[in-house]
Amino acid sequence: MIEVRLFATLRQGRGKIFSLDAANYKCGKDILKEFQIPEEEVAIFLINGFHSKPEDPVKDGDVIALFPPVGGG
Amino acid sequence: MKARYIRNFEALSEAESDLLKTQKICIVGCGGLGGYILEQFLRLGVESITVIDGDCFEESNLNRQLLSTENVIGNFKALTAKERAQEVNSQIKVHAVNVFLTEENARELLKGHDIVMDAVDNIAARRIMGKTCEELGIPLMYGAIQGWYAQISLILPGSSLLDILYQKEMKLTSKSSLSFTPAVCASFQVAEAVKYLCGRECPLKERVLYVDMLSMEAVMVKF
């Protein structure tokens, strides 16, 4: 399984934590597609706590964390 | 130590307080974050602060910007910041700059400061500030807010963190912010800046603290 944790506004209409069958996902882009999250709406993409890119591969046991951009002041 | 700073003592040593006095702070933006950042530095014993903002207060600022009151609608934010500084601590030298930070003026405005406090509300200004801090070798105390959320980091010269957080195609879709969000973000920024200026360990160096006040979570992300 792959655990996906969404943060902040990415939770709206989706939820907080999900478990996905690893067999169906090759890379981070597949995960984004599953949740219908455009790439430009993700500022921080973590795989197992490390900064990663959506094109990086994912595997069974990974924990993915997605954060949206924050830029106001 | 003067009575006005007596409660700072113990949390800060006398040597650290003396060191803070000599530090030159630059606050870019006098809106949501900038107002709270200024207020906190005014009470810490820093004696030289530059505030930069070309904007004027408007009614929509009243929900979250500490310096905004009904009486200052239409007034320049940087000048209002200086007036507030004089009321709180007349010993502090505040240099108010009534212009927006641009590629043309950034180097001149930021040089000579010991730290730059990020209090801008858009990606373009943040990129200019980050690039100029990098060129000048000045640390940038990054902070950004939206709605219920804040993120904070201490960005030292040589870091590519801003480029990671704000990729070229990225656009901000919301300008929402609640009254407490800039207060929380600014407090983290100033606390970390004080540690940097006093030579203490800085946990937010090359790390982003992501604070979610809706679900009351805080996550530290290492880069």
Side-chain angles (χ1 to χ4, degrees), chain B residues 26-30 34 50-53 101 110 116-120 129:
Chain B
C26 182
I27 305 172
V28 184
C30 298
T50 300
V51 290
I52 300 171
D53 201 323
L101 194 76
L110 301 188
V116 171
M117 304 299 294
D118 176 355
V120 301
M129 196 168 45

Side-chain angles (χ1 to χ4, degrees), chain B residues 47 95 163 214:
Chain B
E47 293 188 347
H95 178 44
D163 293 332
L214 187 60

Side-chain angles (χ1 to χ4, degrees), chain A residues 36-56:
Chain A
Q36 296 183 315
I37 299 172
E39 276 189 54
E40 62 269 21
E41 289 184 18
V42 178
I44 302 174
F45 188 103
L46 302 180
I47 301 178
N48 301 324
F50 290 95
H51 171 63
S52 307
K53 293 175 182 173
E55 50 268 34
D56 289 341

Side-chain angles (χ1 to χ4, degrees), chain A residues 7-53:
Chain A
F7 287 86
T9 51
L10 295 178
R11 291 177 178 172
Q12 290 170 11
R14 298 187 181 95
K16 188 173 173 181
I17 300 180
F18 303 85
S19 288
L20 304 179
D21 184 348
N24 298 328
Y25 307 94
K26 288 181 181 172
C27 67
K29 282 188 177 186
D30 296 334
I31 306 272
L32 295 181
K33 197 174 172 184
E34 174 69 36
F35 289 95
Q36 296 183 315
I37 299 172
E39 276 189 54
E40 62 269 21
E41 289 184 18
V42 178
I44 302 174
F45 188 103
L46 302 180
I47 301 178
N48 301 324
F50 290 95
H51 171 63
S52 307
K53 293 175 182 173

Side-chain angles (χ1 to χ4, degrees), chain B residues 35-179:
Chain B
Y36 285 101
I37 290 171
L38 174 68
E39 188 75 19
Q40 294 176 19
F41 271 120
L42 291 174
R43 297 168 194 276
L44 278 163
V46 169
E47 293 188 347
S48 174
I49 303 174
T50 300
V51 290
I52 300 171
D53 201 323
D55 202 6
C56 296
F57 283 111
E58 51 189 79
E59 192 178 347
S60 63
N61 300 151
L62 290 169
N63 82 317
R64 68 197 185 284
Q65 298 191 10
L66 185 63
L67 293 168
S68 69
T69 61
E70 292 177 5
N71 290 332
V72 300
I73 300 298
N75 293 2
F76 279 109
K77 292 183 178 182
L79 295 182
T80 304
K82 182 167 183 168
E83 287 168 9
R84 173 65 183 166
Q86 293 303 309
E87 285 178 354
V88 174
N89 194 336
S90 59
Q91 294 163 354
I92 297 178
K93 186 181 154 197
V94 175
H95 178 44
V97 183
N98 241 1
V99 299
F100 290 109
L101 194 76
T102 65
E103 288 198 25
E104 290 72 33
N105 66 22
R107 195 175 173 87
E108 191 61 29
L109 292 177
L110 301 188
K111 75 177 182 186
H113 292 94
D114 294 295
I115 196 164
V116 171
M117 304 299 294
D118 176 355
V120 301
D121 65 355
N122 65 88
I123 297 175
R126 201 163 265 127
R127 285 200 179 107
I128 293 169
M129 196 168 45
K131 179 170 168 268
T132 310
C133 282
E134 168 78 25
E135 289 170 2
L136 294 170
I138 300 173
L140 174 64
M141 193 62 240
Y142 163 78
I145 54 173
Q146 184 193 316
W148 297 80
Y149 316 106
Q151 60 186 28
I152 309 104
S153 182
L154 175 59
I155 300 177
L156 299 179
S159 166
S160 56
L161 187 59
L162 275 185
D163 293 332
I164 294 171
L165 292 176
Y166 301 108
Q167 292 152 36
K168 280 179 184 170
E169 65 275 16
M170 190 166 283
K171 287 178 185 165
L172 300 173
T173 53
S174 170
K175 287 193 170 183
S176 169
S177 180
L178 298 166
S179 61

